[in-house]
């Protein structure tokens, strides 16, 4: 989806399919719901936003009560589901980090998958600085580098809260993508190795030679309530139960392919040796 209008059209298409599958005409659904006939087509082609009551009417008259939670979740998140980075980062990087502080504090079980770089909760300050510096340049947003790094480091306090559980899965490429320089990378890789075996934290690495059972972008799952996906142009927030289940299955698939404990440490040490060889 590229914007709110696309999301509204997609919801309308789902409702139209629901109505047609139930054998309801526009006129009959409008009569049963007490609407003007034109309201049905306006909803189904994205010209107006349906209300909760409208969604309930579709599900009631189409005998599709099982789809009500998913449709309501879709409706409630249309305005916030797709946010462009230019809007999120309009005042700099720090504000987005503060949002993560809140989300990570509220969740109890976090599952994080990263394809190319080390996840934020496991980053050293130097590594975070290198990433943020490039993000500020690329997205052309206000330079609040120091406060953004400080806020990212603040986020990591959550790792030591006893009521939280963390499962990190990284692609092996994350160990080799250069952020900063060789010194920064050695420090970051040492930090990763030190995290293995920590209480309440599972760290898995999917070997580069693993079969492509699922191809996915990076994402974070907050309990079983929400997934956040970081795209190139925007951040996508997913709360629909049907889509949450798909991401859950994707994470489980990747986690089964990942190596942990001593095998994960061996992959990290190989990446460290490469950096030492570059000296």
């Amino acid at each position: 989806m590229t914007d709110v209008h696309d999301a509204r059209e997609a919801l309308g298409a789902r409702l139209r399919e629901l109505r047609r599958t139930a054998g309801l005409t526009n006129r009959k659904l409008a009569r049963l719901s007490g609407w003007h006939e034109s309201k049905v087509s306006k909803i189904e082609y994205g010209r107006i936003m349906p209300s909760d009551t409208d969604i309930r009417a579709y599900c009631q008259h189409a005998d599709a009560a099982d789809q009500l939670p998913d449709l309501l979740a879709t409706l409630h998140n249309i305005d916030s589901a797709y946010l462009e980075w230019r809007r999120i980062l309009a005042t700099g990087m720090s504000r987005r980090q503060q949002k993560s502080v809140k989300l990570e504090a509220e969740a109890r079980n976090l599952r994080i998958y990263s394809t190319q770089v080390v996840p934020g909760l496991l980053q050293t300050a130097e590594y975070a600085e290198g990433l943020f510096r490039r993000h500020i340049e690329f997205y052309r947003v206000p330079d609040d580098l120091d406060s953004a790094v400080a806020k990212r480091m603040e986020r990591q306090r959550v790792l030591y809260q006893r009521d939280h559980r963390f499962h990190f899965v990284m692609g092996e490429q994350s160990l080799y993508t250069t952020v900063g320089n060789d010194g920064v990378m050695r420090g970051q890789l040492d930090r990763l190795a030190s995290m293995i075996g920590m209480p309440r934290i599972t760290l898995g690495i999917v070997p580069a030679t693993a079969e492509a059972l699922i191809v996915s972008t990076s994402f974070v799952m907050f309990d079983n309530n929400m997934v956040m996906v970081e795209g190139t142009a925007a951040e996508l927030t997913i709360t629909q139960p049907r889509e949450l289940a798909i991401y859950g299955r994707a994470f489980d698939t990747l986690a089964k392919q990942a190596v942990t404990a001593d095998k994960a440490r061996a992959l990290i040490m190989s990446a460290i040796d490469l950096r030492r060889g570059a000296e």
Side-chain angles (χ1 to χ4, degrees):
M1 295 179 189
T2 56
D3 54 30
V4 172
H5 180 69
D6 285 350
R8 187 185 297 174
E9 284 191 342
L11 175 58
R14 289 182 64 187
L15 294 172
R16 183 166 63 252
E17 180 182 0
L18 202 68
R19 173 181 59 77
R20 289 176 173 173
T21 300
L24 293 171
T25 63
N26 284 23
R27 181 173 298 176
K28 185 173 182 180
L29 177 60
R31 178 174 58 78
L32 290 171
S33 305
W35 302 336
H36 189 281
E37 186 177 341
S38 64
K39 179 175 179 176
V40 176
S41 62
K42 288 178 180 178
I43 288 175
E44 293 180 0
Y45 288 94
R47 291 194 287 274
I48 63 172
M49 185 82 82
S51 66
D52 283 24
T53 301
D54 296 336
I55 297 291
R56 292 181 189 279
Y58 265 89
C59 290
Q60 177 187 347
H61 300 308
D63 193 24
D66 61 316
Q67 297 196 41
L68 181 61
D70 193 71
L71 288 167
L72 287 176
T74 300
L75 173 66
H76 296 163
N77 286 278
I78 280 178
D79 287 332
S80 61
Y82 186 96
L83 289 176
E84 293 183 76
W85 289 117
R86 65 180 179 84
R87 291 174 55 191
I88 297 172
L89 306 178
T91 58
M93 308 292 295
S94 182
R95 183 178 177 184
R96 176 60 187 82
Q97 294 304 299
Q98 180 59 45
K99 179 181 178 181
S100 289
V101 170
K102 182 175 184 296
L103 291 173
E104 290 158 356
E106 292 174 348
R108 291 296 176 266
N109 182 23
L110 284 94
R111 287 166 284 177
I112 299 100
Y113 172 60
S114 183
T115 61
Q116 234 179 335
V117 296
V118 174
L121 285 173
L122 302 180
Q123 292 174 7
T124 64
E126 294 76 15
Y127 188 96
E129 179 181 346
L131 274 182
F132 281 142
R133 191 183 304 280
R134 295 307 182 195
H135 287 169
I136 289 167
E137 293 172 359
F138 182 81
Y139 290 107
R140 300 173 183 174
V141 297
D143 186 346
D144 62 342
L145 181 61
D146 290 342
S147 60
V149 172
K151 189 61 65 173
R152 174 152 286 182
M153 295 302 100
E154 179 186 331
R155 284 174 54 191
Q156 296 181 8
R157 295 177 187 172
V158 75
L159 294 173
Y160 305 96
Q161 293 185 8
R162 293 185 178 181
D163 59 345
H164 282 56
R165 297 291 182 274
F166 302 88
H167 192 164
F168 297 93
V169 175
M170 302 163 48
E172 188 178 356
Q173 177 59 45
S174 301
L175 307 179
Y176 293 94
T177 302
T178 299
V179 175
N181 54 39
D182 288 326
V184 170
M185 289 302 301
R186 287 194 299 273
Q188 178 60 73
L189 293 168
D190 281 337
R191 159 80 166 159
L192 275 183
S194 73
M195 302 299 291
I196 295 175
M198 281 189 60
R200 300 175 296 282
I201 294 175
T202 300
L203 174 61
I205 301 172
V206 180
T209 55
E211 183 181 356
L213 298 180
I214 174 67
V215 178
S216 175
T217 54
S218 301
F219 62 89
V220 179
M221 298 193 70
F222 299 88
D223 296 319
N224 290 312
N225 304 320
M226 181 175 71
V227 171
M228 299 192 77
V229 183
E230 293 190 359
T232 302
E235 181 177 72
L236 184 65
T237 301
I238 295 168
T239 58
Q240 296 89 334
R242 172 176 48 85
E243 295 188 35
L244 290 175
I246 292 173
Y247 275 93
R249 193 161 70 247
F251 189 89
D252 289 346
T253 299
L254 292 161
K256 287 177 182 177
Q257 291 186 289
V259 298
T260 58
D262 289 343
K263 290 183 178 179
R265 183 177 283 107
L267 290 180
I268 294 170
M269 296 311 297
S270 292
I272 291 175
D273 289 342
L274 180 70
R275 296 290 173 178
R276 286 174 178 157
E279 292 179 336

